[in-house]
Amino acid sequence: MNIAVTTQDEILRVCRELVAKEGIHALNMRRVAEACNVALGSLYNYFGAKDELITAVIDSVWRDIFHVSGEENLTRSFIDQVKYLFDCAREGESSYPSFFGAHMLQFASGAPKSVARVTMGKCFDEMKNGLMACLASDAMIRPDAFSDTFSERVFVDFVFSAFLFTLLQRKSDEPLLEVIRRSVYR
């Protein structure tokens, strides 16, 4: 006997499983209701429209991949936090094989799915804020590493952009890590 999924968190869990198996494009209200063993009308009590569901699922997948919770581990050095993000991405790519390519290319291209872009942007901002916190608490950063024109925020934005580019290109993380070592470390 199949048990009906009856909370928003459970629905998102089922949706993450569907995304992992079939990709984000496989999600639609009817398919999700079927997978959750609930009536289609019941699903609309949790998500008023497909776009609302997709936005919540995208946020849920990004948070699952990068473990974004707002509670960054300040015991990591900046470079260890960047390595951690790469490790999360690799693990996430194996869990959600088609997610990165489909969703990140859409984001990078400026596609008109504005709500999904805003959702992913919020997740990215949280990740960058975590990098800022790690940078601020890293005792091995050179005291003269930053200036008015090369601020901590500029550096984090550069590193994060390079991180995303490296993921999209499926390149090694070592060149970026070496740039970080040479740029700001003692």
Side-chain angles (χ1 to χ4, degrees):
M1 178 172 140
N2 288 337
I3 306 293
V5 172
T6 57
T7 69
Q8 193 170 25
D9 287 341
E10 291 173 337
I11 293 167
L12 290 173
R13 179 189 51 76
V14 169
C15 288
R16 286 192 308 271
E17 290 171 2
L18 288 171
V19 170
K21 291 177 188 167
E22 301 173 27
I24 192 82
H25 301 295
L27 291 183
N28 63 60
M29 297 297 274
R30 193 169 304 284
R31 175 80 173 94
V32 171
E34 179 184 294
C36 292
N37 200 32
V38 297
L40 181 59
S42 296
L43 186 60
Y44 280 100
N45 290 328
Y46 296 96
F47 301 98
K50 179 184 176 184
D51 286 347
E52 191 178 320
L53 172 70
I54 298 297
T55 299
V57 172
I58 289 168
D59 181 61
S60 182
V61 170
W62 279 107
R63 290 178 183 284
D64 188 48
I65 290 170
F66 290 105
H67 315 289
V68 175
S69 66
E71 300 174 9
E72 298 299 326
N73 184 349
L74 296 180
T75 61
R76 286 191 192 106
S77 67
F78 179 79
I79 201 161
D80 286 342
Q81 183 67 11
V82 173
K83 288 177 190 175
Y84 170 77
L85 292 176
F86 274 113
D87 290 344
C88 288
R90 286 185 197 101
E91 185 178 314
E93 193 168 33
S94 67
S95 298
Y96 302 98
S98 64
F99 184 76
F100 277 121
H103 196 68
M104 283 180 53
L105 284 175
Q106 176 185 14
F107 181 79
S109 71
K113 302 278 186 179
S114 61
V115 176
R117 286 175 48 85
V118 168
T119 299
M120 188 168 62
K122 286 179 185 177
C123 187
F124 284 2
D125 286 345
E126 288 182 45
M127 293 164 64
K128 288 194 270 186
N129 289 337
L131 286 170
M132 285 292 293
C134 288
L135 185 63
S137 66
D138 191 337
M140 296 306 294
I141 300 295
R142 286 191 344 260
D144 66 339
F146 301 105
S147 67
D148 291 339
T149 57
F150 185 63
S151 67
E152 290 89 341
R153 176 55 68 185
V154 167
F155 180 66
V156 166
D157 286 345
F158 166 79
V159 167
F160 196 76
S161 293
F163 164 74
L164 293 177
F165 178 79
T166 302
L167 290 179
L168 278 172
Q169 296 295 312
R170 299 183 186 276
K171 301 284 186 183
S172 167
D173 58 1
E174 277 307 312
L176 177 58
L177 297 174
E178 188 63 23
V179 166
I180 293 168
R181 279 185 208 98
R182 291 175 183 238
S183 300
V184 298
Y185 278 94
R186 301 175 201 224

